[in-house]
Amino acid sequence: MYRIYSTLIEIVAAAVFIIPIWCIYNKLLFRSWKITILYIIFGFYLTAVLALVGFPNIISLKVELTVNIIPFIYMINDFSNACFFLPVLWKEFRNAKKVFIAGFAMTSFIEIAQIFTGRATDIDDIITNIAGTLVGYLIAYWFTGIFTRKIVKNSKKNDFYIICASVVLIMFFLQPFISSLLWEMIL
């Protein structure tokens, strides 16, 4: 329960920046409130993932090198969230190879970032996250086949990169300060 509560605090702290910044993006880049709202939801999803994996931030940055490069040793309970949003929001990601590459890039980024949080970097996490990405792709493939008319058709691949970069920068530089204030108010 604590992890859920903690993740919600991190999402609220990031939302303080995500919502106004993406409202500006709406005027300059996205040009559709429907797309902007879906992108905000995707941004909250990324925020939750980064909060749950212990993404480093400017306040708590530290280096501790704990790396497991031997696969399958600690893989018993380690299955991750699937990459469902990509094929639903962006047509370019309705191909297994591109989703695999995106899943590999994201999980590798997270695992490397964990070096700066004192958490272990583990090859099992990369393997299970990619497996989860492919399962998520298959689920999304099934849903997009059924709900093709309801999928966002005007989303651009560049929006994906803007969203990911924004969330990472917000989570690293800005969100920790708001999060600290929220935790002080609660405790």
Side-chain angles (χ1 to χ4, degrees), residues 18 38 61 65 86 89-90 117 121 147 152-153 159 165 167 186:
I18 287 175
L38 291 172
L61 198 60
L65 192 58
L86 297 182
L89 290 176
W90 292 280
T117 64
T121 298
F147 300 115
V152 178
K153 295 181 182 180
D159 296 348
V167 169
I186 291 171

Side-chain angles (χ1 to χ4, degrees), residues 39-163:
Y39 286 174
I40 287 172
I41 293 168
F42 179 67
F44 291 163
Y45 168 77
L46 285 178
T47 300
V49 168
L50 293 178
L52 286 169
V53 299
F55 187 71
N57 62 55
I58 195 131
I59 294 175
S60 65
L61 198 60
K62 62 182 174 183
V63 177
E64 184 177 316
L65 192 58
T66 307
V67 179
N68 171 27
I69 57 171
I70 302 169
F72 309 115
I73 288 189
Y74 304 109
M75 197 185 256
I76 297 169
N77 294 324
D78 197 17
F79 203 78
S80 178
N81 289 329
C83 201
F84 181 81
F85 279 103
L86 297 182
V88 173
L89 290 176
W90 292 280
K91 187 177 181 179
E92 292 84 1
F93 289 104
R94 291 191 189 151
N95 146 337
K97 181 180 176 183
K98 288 184 180 181
V99 169
F100 173 83
I101 291 169
F104 178 76
M106 182 64 162
T107 194
S108 297
F109 173 73
I110 288 170
E111 289 302 311
I112 291 168
Q114 286 181 343
I115 291 170
F116 303 101
T117 64
R119 294 183 62 174
T121 298
D122 195 337
I123 189 70
D124 290 341
D125 290 346
I126 293 174
I127 292 168
T128 56
N129 288 343
I130 291 171
T133 298
L134 293 176
V135 168
Y137 170 78
L138 293 174
I139 292 168
Y141 182 80
W142 181 73
F143 275 112
T144 57
I146 293 172
F147 300 115
T148 307
R149 293 186 192 113
K150 297 186 181 198
I151 303 292
V152 178
K153 295 181 182 180
N154 296 328
S155 58
K156 299 176 191 102
K157 191 174 179 183
N158 287 341
D159 296 348
F160 169 72
Y161 299 117
I162 291 168
I163 291 167

